[in-house]
Amino acid sequence: MTEAVQAQKDERVKTVSPWRRALIRPELGGICGTILVFLLFGAIAGDSGMFKAEGIMNWTVVSAQFMIIAVGACLLMIAGEFDLSTGSMIGFSGTVMAILSVHMGWPLWAAILFTFGFCMLIGALNGWLVVKTGLPSFIVTLAFLFILRGLTIWGSVYFTRQTIIGGVGEKAQSDWLAPVFGGKILTGFFTWMGEAGWIATFTRGSRAGQPVVDGIPMLVVWALALVILGHLLLTRTRFGNWIFAAGGDAQAARYVGVPVNRVKISMFMFSAFCATVFATCQVMEFGSAAADRGMLKEFEAIICVVIGGALLTGGYGSVIGAALGAVIFGVVQQGLFFANAESSLFRVFLGAILLVAVIMNTYIRRIITGER
């Protein structure tokens, strides 16, 4: 009798059913939720143009916005920490970029690179305070939520006497780095589809004959790139194993040589990086920065991650699941608009789906750990 057969007959060897194996996949909730919202809005808003080229691009862009910040929040939550300063970081980084380029005369590319470096240093400071003081990341980043938002408003008023800083669009026209965040790709392909009659085109005005959707915004490209990068980092590298270990049991991870402090600080920096990417894309899109941008985005990012299957206790989650959570948000937000429903219902949806996701994740955690 082979060892494999003996192992199968050994009562100490616990077999896992296919159902249980599927149930503990972190992406399960995101997959089910995505299917449900597509079916729902396909039924109630399918005739309103939601699933035509322009409608698809609308909810894709909104989903991409959630997706960018959800990737950073996901990796940080798997590492066992939270970042409540994400929303304030979005407003802060955009304002810094605009002040440096418009009011201090910096080249836009230099302002962008400096802002990324500066904001990642702030993320490192968040992480350093958490690991050195032992304070909960909830408290540390909550403090930075107020600090950054206050500095954003003060800086805007001090330099411009207003909370909206314009003029970035003019600086971006001749800048080599601006198109990386504010341009579009595949414009020729979409023009060809418009000429072939595959997608709608404008019928009047100066844009007559041009496609309604003329390319894929760099915001979407950044979102997909970050999802792929985050997924590969988490599932294909030793550092990804360290992230899971740091969030699962930090002390045990230290005993086996995992640099837990470095992992956590790196994830805070990556969260700040994702927030700055989001802010830069917004600044390039609108040609301005506003002090109130990013409000409540930190909570929306966390909800995306929880919907995607991550546990609030850390050590378990999926970047793909978080991306699906972002798609759910984008489809629901735009679906309510296409269905002519009250937009405030989106907040009701956020609260309800967060509650359902936490209950489901708690149940899954009990299955994983064998708790009753």
Side-chain angles (χ1 to χ4, degrees):
M1 187 177 292
T2 65
E3 293 181 2
V5 174
Q6 290 176 347
Q8 289 178 357
K9 291 188 175 183
D10 193 334
E11 62 181 9
R12 295 171 298 177
V13 177
K14 193 173 183 179
T15 59
V16 180
S17 68
W19 164 249
R20 184 176 183 274
R21 190 180 298 112
L23 189 62
I24 63 176
R25 292 294 303 173
E27 302 91 353
L28 178 63
I31 294 172
C32 294
T34 302
I35 294 173
L36 287 175
V37 296
F38 271 106
L39 291 175
L40 173 64
F41 287 103
I44 67 177
D47 298 331
S48 62
M50 180 177 176
F51 295 101
K52 294 181 180 179
E54 187 175 9
I56 291 173
M57 185 56 66
N58 284 342
W59 55 257
T60 298
V61 168
V62 174
S63 299
Q65 293 176 352
F66 290 121
M67 207 175 289
I68 288 172
I69 53 177
V71 173
C74 178
L75 294 179
L76 184 59
M77 282 181 62
I78 293 174
E81 306 295 344
F82 293 93
D83 187 358
L84 297 184
S85 67
T86 299
S88 296
M89 182 69 77
I90 291 170
F92 176 78
S93 57
T95 299
V96 169
M97 197 179 305
I99 290 174
L100 291 176
S101 61
V102 176
H103 292 275
M104 299 186 69
W106 285 34
L108 184 57
W109 63 266
I112 292 173
L113 295 178
F114 175 85
T115 301
F116 268 95
F118 186 52
C119 290
M120 290 177 70
L121 281 177
I122 295 175
L125 177 60
N126 266 332
W128 183 83
L129 288 172
V130 169
V131 301
K132 291 301 181 182
T133 65
L135 291 172
S137 55
F138 176 89
I139 297 299
V140 173
T141 57
L142 180 63
F144 271 89
L145 180 154
F146 290 103
I147 292 171
L148 293 176
R149 187 65 68 183
L151 287 174
T152 302
I153 297 172
W154 172 83
S156 298
V157 173
Y158 180 82
F159 283 96
T160 69
R161 302 298 178 185
Q162 55 188 0
T163 57
I164 298 178
I165 305 174
V168 182
E170 291 77 6
K171 299 278 290 187
Q173 291 177 0
S174 58
D175 191 84
W176 64 269
L177 189 56
V180 176
F181 296 93
K184 292 184 178 181
I185 63 171
L186 301 179
T187 54
F189 177 67
F190 279 87
T191 299
W192 174 79
M193 286 197 296
E195 294 173 350
W198 291 8
I199 59 175
T201 57
F202 291 101
T203 58
R204 61 182 64 181
S206 60
R207 299 188 62 187
Q210 297 182 20
V212 174
V213 178
D214 58 355
I216 298 177
M218 288 303 299
L219 176 78
V220 177
V221 177
W222 272 103
L224 294 176
L226 287 172
V227 169
I228 294 171
L229 172 65
H231 177 69
L232 293 177
L233 175 69
L234 199 60
T235 61
R236 295 289 186 270
T237 68
R238 182 174 64 172
F239 194 83
N241 292 332
W242 289 353
I243 294 173
F244 281 113
D249 190 330
Q251 194 57 48
R254 288 188 177 94
Y255 288 150
V256 296
V258 175
V260 172
N261 290 355
R262 192 175 79 188
V263 169
K264 289 179 181 286
I265 292 173
S266 297
M267 290 302 96
F268 275 105
M269 294 176 68
F270 185 67
S271 176
F273 174 83
C274 292
T276 309
V277 169
F278 181 101
T280 308
C281 290
Q282 274 201 331
V283 169
M284 296 303 111
E285 178 185 0
F286 297 112
S288 64
D292 62 347
R293 284 187 188 152
M295 295 288 287
L296 299 179
K297 290 299 181 185
E298 57 276 347
F299 299 108
E300 293 171 352
I302 291 173
I303 295 172
C304 286
V305 178
V306 173
I307 294 173
L311 295 179
L312 297 175
T313 52
Y316 182 81
S318 164
V319 172
I320 300 298
L324 290 173
V327 171
I328 292 172
F329 272 20
V331 172
V332 170
Q333 189 179 81
Q334 293 300 297
L336 292 173
F337 169 77
F338 281 102
N340 294 318
E342 176 59 45
S343 60
S344 58
L345 290 176
F346 180 63
R347 298 297 171 190
V348 177
F349 168 80
L350 291 186
I353 199 167
L354 173 62
L355 184 60
V356 171
V358 170
I359 293 173
M360 178 180 292
N361 291 348
T362 300
Y363 175 69
I364 291 173
R365 179 180 61 80
R366 289 175 178 172
I367 292 177
I368 296 171
T369 60
E371 296 178 10
R372 294 291 182 182

